[in-house]
Amino acid sequence: MEAPAQGLLEAEPLRGRDEDAVASADFSSMLSDEEREELKAELVQLEDEITTLRQVLSAKERHLIEIKQKLGMNLMNEIKQNFSKSWHDMQTTTAYKKTHETLSHAGQKATAAFSNVGTAISKKFGDMSYSIRHSISMPAMRNSPTFKSFEERVETTVTSLKVFFRRRSYEEAQED
């Protein structure tokens, strides 16, 4: 390893105040005319090289775009490919697999719980329908248009719920 430089040849980059001091210093009085001309020539040469490098870089970027177009690659395709690769990489992680497994298990448990609740509600409505039908002993009330309309609506609702929950249970069984 090199030993740290001393004096004017310090290895540390210039910092805020140092840059200001260097920028405001007038070194031109310390240079001879010959040195000044050499530095001006070097400055012109560096500016020309930078311009050339920018032109070369621009030409290479245009060539890159042409090649991608010929290969049918465009920005949207690249984004899709990057997204697909990232998604695949994420799916292969252990954390994703564990999370997916846990959520899948939780979803199955929730589905079973909802099914049980639906069955219980359906059974309760069925019991209520039976209870209403058999608990009213007054024939006049049972034969009234209002009661018959109410009874029909309750029976229709209970039947609809039973069909709904049976269909749902069947669909869940098919998924498994």
Side-chain angles (χ1 to χ4, degrees):
M1 295 205 117
E2 293 181 30
Q6 300 295 323
L8 293 174
L9 302 177
E10 288 183 11
E12 292 294 315
L14 296 177
R15 304 254 190 306
R17 287 189 316 198
D18 297 334
E19 290 174 357
D20 294 340
V22 169
S24 64
D26 183 16
F27 294 109
S28 61
S29 62
M30 297 188 323
L31 297 175
S32 68
D33 288 340
E34 186 178 315
E35 290 173 325
R36 187 175 291 122
E37 289 303 316
E38 285 178 15
L39 288 175
K40 284 183 180 180
E42 186 178 351
L43 179 64
V44 168
Q45 181 182 358
L46 283 172
E47 288 173 343
D48 288 345
E49 288 176 2
I50 290 170
T51 302
T52 303
L53 289 171
R54 284 184 178 144
Q55 290 171 348
V56 169
L57 178 61
S58 179
K60 289 194 178 279
E61 287 174 336
R62 282 192 304 271
H63 186 63
L64 175 75
I65 290 169
E66 289 172 5
I67 290 173
K68 284 184 176 183
Q69 286 175 343
K70 287 178 182 177
L71 292 173
M73 297 168 63
N74 59 25
L75 181 60
M76 189 55 109
N77 286 342
E78 287 184 48
I79 290 172
K80 285 179 187 177
Q81 289 173 348
N82 289 341
F83 181 77
S84 294
K85 184 181 182 322
S86 298
W87 178 248
H88 179 266
D89 292 347
M90 186 192 68
Q91 285 180 318
T92 58
T93 63
T94 305
Y96 177 85
K97 288 178 182 176
K98 286 182 180 178
T99 303
H100 182 269
E101 188 177 298
T102 301
L103 291 176
S104 177
H105 184 67
Q108 290 171 354
K109 292 285 187 182
T111 300
F114 283 128
S115 178
N116 290 339
V117 167
T119 302
I121 290 172
S122 177
K123 185 177 183 313
K124 200 65 159 169
F125 276 132
D127 293 346
M128 283 175 52
S129 174
Y130 178 81
S131 173
I132 289 172
R133 223 180 278 132
H134 293 90
S135 67
I136 299 175
S137 59
M138 295 176 23
M141 183 184 228
R142 292 182 94 196
N143 293 329
S144 73
T146 305
F147 184 81
K148 285 189 180 237
S149 174
F150 175 74
E151 186 178 33
E152 287 172 7
R153 287 182 184 169
V154 169
E155 286 177 353
T156 302
T157 302
V158 169
T159 303
S160 296
L161 287 171
K162 284 181 179 179
V163 168
F164 171 77
F165 286 112
R166 282 185 191 136
R167 190 175 295 146
R168 185 163 183 181
S169 295
Y170 174 78
E171 289 172 355
E172 289 171 359
Q174 294 299 317
E175 289 177 2
D176 293 336

